[in-house]
Amino acid sequence: LNEMNTRNFPGASTVIVKNGEVVWVESYGYADVANSVSVEDTTVFLLASVSKLFTGTAAMQLHENSTINLDTDINNYLPWSVQIPNFTNDFITARQLMTHTASIDDNWGVMSSFYGYPDPTISLSDCMANYFPTSGTNYDASNNFLNSAPGTTYDYSNMGSALNGYLVEASTGIPFDDYCANNIFDELCMENTAWHFSDFNPDQIATPHNFQNGNYNAINHYGFADYPNGQLRSTAMDLGNYMIAFLNGGTLGNNAILSSTSVSEMLSLQIPAIDSVSGLNWHKTKLYHSVGETMVWGHSGGEQGVSTYLYIDPQND
């Protein structure tokens, strides 16, 4: 509660898993301040960039079943061609998208137009086709890309993560949100997890707020067309199942979303010469706690009225 007050969070939901089960779940404060609606364990929150873990999981599944190869040209799977200007002899790989080394830049001048309320009105496929190929209406050689060869520079990229999600859609012929529902959420009994606002009862979803002059002000629910980078919504309990699966080599009960080999690869340093903490979408970080410090794997997220953290400690399960 002190942390909530310090950071002006109106409400929060927390979960801890250990040895394959949920050992703690607690919710605090308000999901809707104006109407005094309390946060419950079933309250749905926007995950912001924690969503990228799920986008990476989907891509890893396709690598596992040989639908895609993480280290070949993504243009093999796309309906149009994407190249880094000035480096057209170099190709982009899914592994680069998953490690933020594809030399794709976030052009916020364009990306700010992708927002919709409560859901985006531009499709993922149109969003990508407008941004990446030279024929796209939002194509901008100097602002959509870095001036460096793919694979040589770490630069955190929301659009690169969105392209990774679209790669799943393009290579399977299944809309990205449906693919994740069928192959990740259903398998992990994540019944309150989905990519679009329209998939929920609106009463379930925490209202995002900003904090100004001592007051919490509700923000309209929103989404964005580049949604695989941050638009997933879920509950603490559902995320507990996802964490248990990763701690258990990709399985929850009798269901597997990944092989233990794939999980190990995602949770291993990929580009130590360029970035010392990057796995495949997961990042290694130091967690300070009451009796010292621990190295954990995970991701953080931030959006308007949203702050999220998901971390696992595989050594201690």
Side-chain angles (χ1 to χ4, degrees):
L1 294 175
N2 286 343
E3 183 76 2
M4 285 176 62
N5 291 333
T6 302
R7 301 183 58 163
N8 300 315
F9 293 164
S13 205
T14 61
V15 65
I16 300 171
V17 302
K18 172 100 176 149
N19 299 331
E21 59 184 22
V22 171
V23 296
W24 160 285
V25 58
E26 286 289 342
S27 297
Y28 307 90
Y30 293 104
D32 177 352
V33 172
N35 295 300
S36 300
V37 178
S38 297
V39 178
E40 309 284 351
D41 301 345
T42 51
T43 299
V44 171
F45 288 87
L46 185 69
L47 298 188
S49 285
V50 167
S51 306
K52 292 179 173 73
L53 296 177
F54 293 85
T55 300
T57 299
M60 203 68 188
Q61 288 180 335
L62 298 184
H63 177 64
E64 209 173 90
N65 66 26
S66 300
T67 301
I68 65 171
N69 183 313
L70 294 189
D71 298 303
T72 58
D73 188 344
I74 59 170
N75 290 335
N76 294 339
Y77 314 109
L78 298 173
W80 29 257
S81 175
V82 56
Q83 292 178 315
I84 305 303
N86 303 327
F87 300 94
T88 53
N89 291 330
D90 298 275
F91 58 81
I92 298 168
T93 69
R95 192 182 301 274
Q96 291 165 357
L97 296 177
M98 294 164 78
T99 54
H100 302 281
T101 57
S103 292
I104 293 169
D105 206 359
D106 286 341
N107 181 352
W108 284 102
V110 165
M111 291 162 65
S112 59
S113 70
F114 296 162
Y115 282 78
Y117 306 87
D119 275 324
T121 54
I122 306 164
S123 70
L124 176 61
S125 59
D126 284 351
C127 179
M128 298 294 99
N130 287 340
Y131 194 90
F132 287 108
T134 54
S135 58
T137 52
N138 293 323
Y139 182 83
D140 183 332
S142 56
N143 289 312
N144 294 7
F145 306 95
L146 302 179
N147 190 24
S148 59
T152 61
T153 310
Y154 175 89
D155 192 68
Y156 187 84
S157 174
N158 287 291
M159 288 303 290
S161 296
L163 182 57
N164 200 33
Y166 181 62
L167 185 66
V168 171
E169 182 171 304
S171 60
T172 60
I174 303 167
F176 178 70
D177 51 351
D178 292 342
Y179 176 88
C180 291
N182 296 337
N183 295 283
I184 303 175
F185 312 147
D186 288 355
E187 293 294 318
L188 297 181
C189 303
M190 297 176 70
E191 295 172 5
N192 293 301
T193 302
W195 284 104
H196 286 90
F197 186 89
S198 58
D199 293 319
F200 294 96
N201 171 349
D203 295 339
Q204 281 181 279
I205 304 177
T207 301
H209 296 79
N210 64 27
F211 185 78
Q212 286 178 315
N213 304 323
N215 295 311
Y216 291 105
N217 305 302
I219 301 170
N220 289 332
H221 289 289
Y222 58 87
F224 28 86
D226 50 326
Y227 74 86
N229 64 35
Q231 195 182 279
L232 193 62
R233 289 180 175 87
S234 188
T235 65
M237 290 297 285
D238 277 12
L239 292 176
N241 285 358
Y242 180 74
M243 292 191 287
I244 289 167
F246 262 80
L247 289 166
N248 199 35
T251 62
L252 181 78
N254 296 321
N255 293 348
I257 53 164
L258 288 172
S259 70
S260 58
T261 306
S262 292
V263 169
S264 296
E265 186 166 2
M266 293 188 81
L267 302 180
S268 60
L269 297 176
Q270 297 288 314
I271 47 167
I274 306 173
D275 183 80
S276 60
V277 300
S278 289
L280 287 173
N281 285 107
W282 295 73
H283 297 270
K284 200 169 192 180
T285 191
K286 191 175 286 186
L287 174 73
Y288 296 97
H289 51 81
S290 54
V291 290
E293 56 192 46
T294 308
M295 293 307 293
V296 292
W297 284 94
H299 213 292
S300 61
E303 250 289 0
Q304 302 166 65
V306 178
S307 184
T308 54
Y309 302 88
L310 186 156
Y311 292 105
I312 59 174
D313 173 3
Q315 272 191 302
N316 295 300
D317 202 21

